[in-house]
Amino acid sequence: MNFQNASVSRRSFIAGAAGLLAAGSLAACSSGQSSSGTGSAAAESKTLTVGASPSPHAVILNDYAAPILADKGIELKVKEYTDYIQPNKDTSSGAIDANYFQHINYLNNYNDENGTDLVNVGKIHFEPMGVFAGKSSDIDNVADGATFGVPNDPTNEGRALLLLQDLGLITLSDDAGITATPNDIVKNPKNLQFSEQEAAALPRTVNDVDFAVINGNYAIDAGLKLEDAVAQEDATSDVIQKEYANIIVTTPALKDDERITALVAALQTDDFKKYLADTFGDAVQAAF
């Protein structure tokens, strides 16, 4: 107990009973100080650190979620990442509490490849993937031998190729599915070529290829608007809803943590749907 700020005059001890009262007062004062210290520790324990891609994820967390959590006594700290690997590593290690950058299929693939057990605690939004013009712009009349930039990570490459299949440009083997690669193409009537790149690099190299199939978050970061894409995914398709919803991810130990539960709850409301529509238009859509 800390009595540094307490001073009691000896003259206040007029009688034994009075002395006891004075001592009781001191104890009460000390208890108040101790409680304040405990309160500070509790407040500190209410900090929630979430890793996120700069846009739209970090924007959503800072602009929309942080004020809501603050009202609940939770300080939301957002750590931005520009890659798809480190935020999961930092979540597993405990460097951050959770992350918000990836879709369901990416998480499943990451866990399988790395022997990790990160968990999905809530679907938040999805970002339709778009085909953006580079050297060419007429997606209905693609030239023979045209080059398409596509993401090179396992889940997003398959997603890009499925989009090109939907556009009638290629045909994939029946068993290719969402993990398809160019090796799974069984029909390529226009002899399309594929430039496999890190997803984050595609907006920077779009002018080096005829077309680029770009993830929504990287398109937003680069100032590319979905409405300007020459083609885009069907946001209502089953594969989008079941595989590519962006999620809040954490460790099994924290999956029921009240801070993370509060974050998910804040991002699964009608008000949040309106925020997404007002802020991002069709480029970022609610997944709940």
Side-chain angles (χ1 to χ4, degrees):
M1 294 184 181
N2 182 3
F3 295 99
Q4 289 180 347
N5 295 324
S7 61
V8 181
S9 171
R10 293 180 181 177
R11 287 175 293 178
S12 64
F13 288 94
I14 300 173
L20 289 173
L21 288 173
S25 297
L26 284 172
C29 178
S30 176
S31 175
Q33 291 177 357
S34 176
S35 176
S36 175
T38 302
S40 297
E44 185 176 349
S45 72
K46 289 282 188 168
T47 298
L48 175 65
T49 303
V50 179
S53 297
S55 183
H57 307 80
V59 173
I60 289 169
L61 293 176
N62 285 316
D63 292 354
Y64 185 84
I68 294 174
L69 294 189
D71 288 342
K72 298 179 181 297
I74 301 169
E75 179 187 4
L76 178 60
K77 293 184 177 181
V78 181
K79 182 175 181 180
E80 295 189 10
Y81 294 82
T82 57
D83 74 292
Y84 282 173
I85 303 297
Q86 197 60 43
N88 274 340
K89 287 184 175 181
D90 285 354
T91 303
S92 291
S93 72
I96 57 178
D97 299 307
N99 67 59
Y100 176 38
F101 76 95
Q102 65 196 311
H103 51 60
I104 296 168
N105 188 262
Y106 184 88
L107 172 65
N108 292 339
N109 186 74
Y110 179 88
N111 279 337
D112 287 345
E113 289 191 348
N114 294 278
T116 48
D117 58 356
L118 295 173
V119 294
N120 163 18
V121 291
K123 295 195 297 184
I124 307 302
H125 78 267
F126 57 87
E127 305 152 15
M129 184 175 271
V131 181
F132 290 87
K135 295 178 181 178
S136 305
S137 60
D138 190 350
I139 196 66
D140 295 320
N141 296 285
V142 176
D144 186 71
T147 299
F148 280 73
V150 295
N152 65 1
D153 61 277
T155 56
N156 285 306
E157 183 168 40
R159 182 181 179 184
L161 294 176
L162 285 169
L163 173 52
L164 297 183
Q165 178 174 252
D166 289 343
L167 295 173
L169 294 171
I170 58 173
T171 301
L172 299 166
S173 62
D174 291 338
D175 60 350
I178 57 178
T179 59
T181 72
N183 293 331
D184 295 303
I185 297 173
V186 294
K187 292 183 181 179
N188 187 1
K190 290 185 176 290
N191 192 34
L192 302 183
Q193 305 299 305
F194 298 94
S195 175
E196 298 170 277
Q197 306 174 32
E198 289 188 11
L202 288 166
R204 299 194 299 270
T205 62
V206 64
N207 292 322
D208 298 329
V209 295
D210 291 286
F211 300 93
V213 189
I214 302 177
N215 293 71
N217 62 307
Y218 289 128
I220 293 169
D221 282 343
L224 300 173
K225 297 182 179 179
L226 187 63
E227 56 262 35
D228 295 331
V230 297
Q232 62 179 269
E233 290 173 315
D234 177 4
T236 64
S237 68
D238 286 343
V239 69
I240 292 296
Q241 295 288 339
K242 295 178 181 179
E243 300 287 348
Y244 296 115
N246 281 228
I247 52 180
I248 302 294
V249 171
T250 189
T251 60
L254 291 179
K255 67 183 182 67
D256 296 318
D257 187 283
E258 63 177 358
R259 300 165 300 159
I260 294 173
T261 299
L263 173 62
V264 173
L267 297 177
Q268 289 183 337
T269 65
D270 288 340
D271 284 344
F272 180 62
K273 288 181 179 180
K274 184 177 185 306
Y275 164 81
L276 290 181
D278 292 345
T279 307
F280 301 104
D282 290 338
V284 184
Q285 303 177 32
F288 53 89

